[in-house]
Amino acid sequence: MIDLEILELQSPAAIQMKIAGNIRRLRKRRRISQQKLAALSGVSFASIRRFEKQGDISLSSLAKIALALEVEQEMAGLFSDVPYLSIDEVLHEPK
C-alpha cells in the first residue's frame, strides 16, 4: 500500500508546510502566541507569521524557534537515523 503522506511531501514547499504545521501545533499546544514565541526566540513576529502561513523561514530562525519551544534535540536529530537505500550504501559508508 502506498503511503499517501509520503506522496504529499514530494516537493520542497510541501515539506516546508508540513514542518510549519508541526511547529504551529506545538506552539498552540504549549499555549504560546506568535507574539510570545517571537519574544522568546528573537525571531520577528512577521517571520513567525510568514513561516506558519507559507512555510518560509531561514534555518537559523527555525533553530531559534526550536530552542524557544525546547525541541532543539529533535531538530538537531534531523537526518541522523536515515535508513540505507541500498547494500552499496552500507558497504561504502564512511567510517
Side-chain angles (χ1 to χ4, degrees), residues 51-95:
F51 173 51
E52 289 189 3
K53 282 186 162 191
Q54 301 171 3
D56 183 35
I57 197 160
S58 72
L59 184 58
S60 175
S61 291
L62 184 58
K64 290 175 183 178
I65 290 169
L67 285 164
L69 293 173
E70 299 180 14
V71 292
E72 64 275 7
Q73 292 299 321
E74 288 78 2
M75 185 169 172
L78 286 174
F79 313 115
S80 63
D81 193 25
V82 178
Y84 293 100
L85 293 177
S86 69
I87 190 68
D88 188 57
E89 192 176 10
V90 174
L91 295 173
H92 296 99
E93 180 177 23
K95 303 290 181 202

Side-chain angles (χ1 to χ4, degrees), residues 3-68:
D3 186 345
L4 294 179
E5 185 172 326
I6 291 173
L7 288 178
E8 292 172 359
L9 296 177
Q10 293 297 314
S11 73
I15 293 167
Q16 288 171 233
M17 288 307 299
K18 174 71 174 170
I19 293 168
N22 291 345
I23 291 291
R24 182 173 190 258
R25 279 187 296 282
L26 177 60
R27 176 184 62 75
K28 287 184 165 201
R29 186 175 89 196
R30 301 234 169 117
R31 298 176 186 219
I32 299 173
S33 68
Q34 288 179 332
Q35 293 87 350
K36 179 150 185 178
L37 182 57
L40 291 170
S41 66
V43 175
S44 73
F45 168 73
S47 291
I48 290 172
R49 185 177 55 206
R50 183 178 60 250
F51 173 51
E52 289 189 3
K53 282 186 162 191
Q54 301 171 3
D56 183 35
I57 197 160
S58 72
L59 184 58
S60 175
S61 291
L62 184 58
K64 290 175 183 178
I65 290 169
L67 285 164

